[in-house]
Amino acid sequence: MSRLMLGRTLERICKAVLLLCLVHFLIMMILYFDVYSQRFDIFSRFNNGRGVNSSRGPHHYYYNFSRPNTTFASYLATADHLLPSTKPEANHTPPTPKPLPPCPEVPPGLVGRLLIEFSSQITLERVQRENPNVTEGGKYTPPDCRPKQKVAIIIPFRHRDNHLKYWLHYLHPVLRRQKIDYGIYIINQLGEDTFNRAKLLNVGYTEALKDAEYDCFIFSDIDLIPMDDRNLYHCYDQPRHFAIAMDKFGFRLPYAGYFGGVSGLSKKQFLKINGFPNEYWGWGGEDDDIYNRITLNGMKVSRPDVRIGRYRMIKHERDKHNEPNPQRFSKIQNTKNTMRKDGISSLMYRVVSVKKYPLYTNISVEIGKPPPRPLKG
């Protein structure tokens, strides 16, 4: 009897244990599926909320609709303070680009004295490879700062293709290191009549302004290369003479009123002197006339330090149809009387073609012929 009672007791204990195990298993399963559904809901809502084309609009993350007693109202009330809602990326406005800082007065990438030589063969293809950031028409803008001025570099030109290659080879890297926003304009005088440098410079000023809103103009001969990149090619408070120490003059200023080779004027300064004279046909005299115009209008010529304003000239024979102008001395003496009627205000020419090459803009023009010289007698 006692054994029978013991057997029944053990049976009941086993059934109770088995029942407890079953209950425990059911509870674990419920908890497992509840947690699983929460995780699934989190990630599904996270992905749906980021979808650009989601028609359900923005979602609130980390809230589980599968929980008991959950209503849409309680969902909104609870989720609004958990995480900020996000808008679909289709309506997202991209951030405004940060404005560039002004370019420094003295760019940090300058190297100082340069080695200039003309014995190596230069091709335009090589120059283009060396200056990949120069855009069509010979234009460049610094990508990392905002220049104060926009500079047009004007070069009077005829039959100097080899010189042009050297000039572009040396000047493009210099100007880029100087953080100059610039464009290069080659003003090509067509025909074989007498060359007129100053009139071509007036043409360059006029045509460059048709292309962009320049406020500074650098006028440079094609055969002059700066020997120091600290000679900054931009405009100053006074008209600027850059080429003050050429090798052909023993690296000295030939005379106090010399304004030849490379010079720079702001738009305001250029208009104040009525531009450059148009009636200097042949070599010489126009630079002195320009110097007179500057001083007669109450301005002074500014110059760099003589150690910085050094230039090398590409040696060449004197051009045909650019012989010395025999009338230059008498014209220089009459600048005061002629500068108001002879200049940018009286400029006449005809543009034949404008071609934008990778490294420069070429403008070919007809500028007329010199008037007949008075007979001696």
Side-chain angles (χ1 to χ4, degrees):
M1 187 69 179
S2 60
R3 291 182 178 180
L4 180 62
M5 291 295 292
L6 180 61
R8 288 180 179 178
T9 302
L10 291 174
E11 182 182 1
R12 290 172 182 171
I13 293 172
C14 290
K15 288 181 178 180
V17 171
L18 182 61
L19 181 61
L20 288 173
C21 289
L22 180 61
V23 172
H24 177 74
F25 176 76
L26 291 174
I27 293 173
M28 292 298 295
M29 291 300 294
I30 292 171
L31 292 175
Y32 172 79
F33 283 112
D34 184 65
V35 172
Y36 177 80
S37 64
Q38 290 183 44
R39 296 185 62 185
F40 179 78
D41 182 74
I42 288 172
F43 288 107
S44 65
R45 295 181 186 283
F46 180 80
N47 291 329
N48 289 338
R50 294 187 64 180
V52 174
N53 298 320
S54 174
S55 61
R56 298 178 61 184
H59 294 276
H60 295 266
Y61 308 148
Y62 308 116
Y63 199 85
N64 184 12
F65 270 112
S66 65
R67 290 181 178 178
N69 304 321
T70 299
T71 64
F72 186 71
S74 63
Y75 157 70
L76 292 176
T78 307
D80 281 344
H81 71 273
L82 295 177
L83 281 177
S85 62
T86 58
K87 296 182 180 180
E89 291 184 5
N91 298 325
H92 179 66
T93 303
T96 303
K98 186 177 181 180
L100 293 175
C103 292
E105 292 290 337
V106 180
L110 301 179
V111 299
R113 187 67 61 85
L114 306 173
L115 176 63
I116 308 297
E117 57 88 18
F118 307 118
S119 59
S120 302
Q121 292 297 318
I122 301 296
T123 65
L124 292 179
E125 291 76 17
R126 172 185 168 184
V127 179
Q128 189 175 352
R129 288 195 305 268
E130 294 171 345
N131 300 275
N133 295 327
V134 174
T135 59
E136 185 182 47
K139 296 181 178 179
Y140 175 81
T141 301
D144 54 352
C145 65
R146 187 178 69 256
K148 292 182 179 180
Q149 301 173 359
K150 192 172 184 65
V151 181
I153 300 176
I154 313 297
I155 300 176
F157 186 88
R158 186 167 67 179
H159 306 322
R160 296 285 193 90
D161 296 282
N162 194 48
H163 292 180
L164 175 61
K165 296 174 185 178
Y166 284 113
W167 193 95
L168 294 169
H169 169 67
Y170 284 112
L171 265 296
H172 268 306
V174 167
L175 295 169
R176 288 192 293 110
R177 289 197 299 271
Q178 292 181 354
K179 304 292 185 182
I180 304 295
D181 180 359
Y182 68 89
I184 293 174
Y185 298 85
I186 306 298
I187 314 302
N188 179 37
Q189 180 177 335
L190 294 175
E192 298 300 326
D193 288 309
T194 305
F195 195 69
N196 191 325
R197 177 181 179 269
K199 190 170 185 178
L200 291 172
L201 297 179
N202 280 340
V203 172
Y205 168 89
T206 304
E207 292 299 313
L209 282 176
K210 295 178 182 179
D211 190 38
E213 295 184 2
Y214 293 103
D215 47 22
C216 174
F217 300 84
I218 307 295
F219 306 96
S220 175
D221 289 345
I222 193 66
D223 56 1
L224 287 176
I225 310 296
M227 300 177 66
D228 197 309
D229 63 2
R230 292 171 295 178
N231 195 0
L232 301 178
Y233 272 38
H234 61 73
C235 290
Y236 296 78
D237 293 337
Q238 298 292 333
R240 188 75 164 182
H241 183 215
F242 296 94
I244 67 168
M246 300 182 198
D247 56 353
K248 76 169 186 175
F249 296 136
F251 296 111
R252 293 188 299 270
L253 192 68
Y255 53 91
Y258 183 66
F259 198 69
V262 185
S263 58
L265 291 89
S266 68
K267 183 178 180 180
K268 181 178 180 180
Q269 293 164 357
F270 187 87
L271 294 176
K272 188 173 184 179
I273 66 172
N274 193 23
F276 299 159
N278 298 312
E279 299 303 325
Y280 282 82
W281 297 89
W283 181 87
E286 79 281 356
D287 297 327
D288 296 320
D289 190 296
I290 296 168
Y291 182 86
N292 290 343
R293 291 175 180 233
I294 291 170
T295 57
L296 288 169
N297 281 280
M299 295 184 287
K300 297 180 179 180
V301 171
S302 65
R303 294 186 171 102
D305 186 277
V306 68
R307 294 167 294 182
I308 292 177
R310 295 162 67 96
Y311 281 75
R312 281 203 66 185
M313 175 179 283
I314 306 173
K315 293 182 180 180
H316 59 90
E317 300 295 329
R318 184 176 297 280
D319 302 319
K320 293 182 179 180
H321 308 292
N322 191 30
E323 293 79 12
N325 181 0
Q327 299 176 331
R328 63 186 185 277
F329 298 110
S330 60
K331 286 182 175 294
I332 293 170
Q333 295 175 358
N334 290 316
T335 302
K336 186 175 182 180
N337 300 322
T338 60
M339 66 179 181
R340 293 304 170 200
K341 56 185 179 181
D342 175 25
I344 196 68
S345 61
S346 62
L347 178 65
M348 296 181 65
Y349 63 97
R350 185 175 79 90
V351 175
V352 176
S353 67
V354 177
K355 297 180 180 179
K356 293 191 174 184
Y357 295 102
L359 297 169
Y360 63 95
T361 297
N362 184 88
I363 303 176
S364 295
V365 295
E366 293 177 348
I367 60 173
K369 299 180 179 181
R373 293 178 181 176
L375 297 175
K376 294 181 181 180

